[in-house]
Amino acid sequence: LPSHHHHLPLRLVLLLTLVPSVFISALPLHAATITPPRSLPSKCIYHTTQQQPKSSLSPQKFYRRHIRGMLPCVFRGMGTTWNASNWVNRTSFEQRFGHEMFNVELRKEQFRNGSNEPTTKRKMTLKTFLQQHQQEDLYLDAPLTGSTLLHDLPLPKVLQCAALSQTINSVNFLYSSGQTSSYLHQDGYQNLLTVHAGIKTVLLAPPSSSTLLYANEFTLLPGLSPVNPDEVNLTRYPLVAQVKFWKVVLHQGDSLYIPQYYWHHVISTVEGVKGGRVEDGQTLPSNIATNIWFQMLDYEVELQTKEGLDEAKDVSAFGMKYSEYVRKLAPKKIRCSGGAEQQISLHTLLERQ
């Protein structure tokens, strides 16, 4: 056997040697690992309902358990009471925001035919995008800098603490007709992803999986794994089989907290369409979401000066060392003043900053 197969479990070695490589290279990420993706533990799932609109998780507990603890969590139904939940109404959405300009990606699968190349973008109004996105291969993934859409996004309860809200960097807007597939990637920020329409299926892996995901062999940008998540080539990237992923399925109103440097792959589909497939003559609903990016614990300078690490080169070591710094140096608690921020929108918050 080739030397790079010696450290693999026997089951996978047999798979790699007995099954033609053409089949091996076609495995989607969720099927390419020895251990099937697991659900998040129940302690990481928080439920919000119309009858009980407040999550039981305070900003202080959210910080302690999940930001400092570097543990993903889901808030079921947190966004159902937001004005953004009305974005599913295409007519009113276009009337209110159709004039806004965005750079739109001209493909929905970020890996295309095995190519890990930058995506071509075209600038257009939101109205034009809405008119074309069902027929064309378009994906809107852009920051909401100064956008009026931010008025419909309140500051989430778990971030209603100055120690957290003041670290919000930006809000990103995601819109497509479904059938989108992201890179397998990590972010240099904490990420709160909220779905306003459609379904998002997310695979998550901690920074300790960076070596198994060939993080240092990036070909486009640091933080983007060279592994094609839609067609994992286990002959070329055999270590991927050892990764233990968490799998989270988000529906309208659900939010997912993704810790900094966590690896994630996102597939976006639409409600009521099996497999996200387009049927003849059917007008599909859309997939709409937002990201809130914030950076509560920033140790980049320390990792550069004390550890000699470069985030743009030492991707694997940087993420793992960051996790170690959080465990050792992050404050055990944060202080939050009264509820002055409870009714604030993200537009007002970011204007102040």
Side-chain angles (χ1 to χ4, degrees), residues 44-253:
C44 299
I45 310 294
Y46 302 92
H47 293 273
T48 304
T49 65
Q50 295 284 0
Q51 294 74 29
Q52 195 175 16
K54 290 188 176 181
S55 165
S56 60
L57 191 68
S58 67
Q60 295 94 328
K61 288 182 180 179
F62 175 55
Y63 167 79
R64 188 173 68 251
R65 293 180 188 176
H66 300 286
I67 297 178
R68 187 177 185 275
M70 290 197 68
L71 186 64
C73 64
V74 173
F75 301 96
R76 296 290 183 198
M78 185 168 73
T80 54
T81 59
W82 298 1
N83 289 337
S85 64
N86 296 319
W87 290 352
V88 293
N89 186 318
R90 162 74 180 273
T91 302
S92 64
F93 186 72
E94 184 175 319
Q95 288 175 348
R96 295 179 62 202
F97 307 113
H99 64 281
E100 297 215 15
M101 298 290 297
F102 291 99
N103 285 316
V104 176
E105 297 183 8
L106 302 186
R107 70 181 188 210
K108 294 193 291 186
E109 293 179 354
Q110 293 184 319
F111 256 99
R112 176 58 59 86
N113 298 324
S115 173
N116 190 10
E117 297 178 353
T119 305
T120 303
K121 296 185 179 183
R122 182 197 309 157
K123 195 168 186 177
M124 64 180 69
T125 64
L126 188 53
K127 180 177 181 178
T128 300
F129 169 79
L130 292 171
Q131 293 171 344
Q132 298 179 0
H133 81 290
Q134 296 286 3
Q135 292 77 35
E136 298 185 29
D137 200 12
L138 301 178
Y139 184 37
L140 202 168
D141 180 354
L144 287 177
T145 307
S147 170
T148 55
L149 277 82
L150 290 169
H151 288 294
D152 284 0
L153 297 169
L155 179 65
K157 182 178 183 295
V158 292
L159 298 181
Q160 288 175 10
C161 172
L164 297 174
S165 64
Q166 290 177 3
T167 69
I168 294 177
N169 298 80
S170 62
V171 180
N172 217 52
F173 184 46
L174 309 166
Y175 200 125
S176 75
S177 61
Q179 298 173 283
T180 68
S181 175
S182 76
Y183 292 111
L184 176 57
H185 66 287
Q186 59 178 196
D187 299 317
Y189 301 95
Q190 286 99 7
N191 180 358
L192 189 63
L193 168 67
T194 302
V195 174
H196 307 294
I199 304 169
K200 287 192 183 292
T201 302
V202 187
L203 295 182
L204 297 156
S208 57
S209 301
S210 295
T211 301
L212 301 179
L213 295 173
Y214 300 84
N216 288 348
E217 297 181 26
F218 63 89
T219 56
L220 186 57
L221 291 170
L224 300 184
S225 169
V227 177
N228 182 346
D230 299 311
E231 296 183 351
V232 179
N233 188 332
L234 286 174
T235 301
R236 184 173 181 181
Y237 301 114
L239 298 181
V240 173
Q242 299 182 35
V243 179
K244 294 182 179 180
F245 285 104
W246 275 314
K247 179 181 178 181
V248 177
V249 180
L250 303 172
H251 296 266
Q252 183 178 4

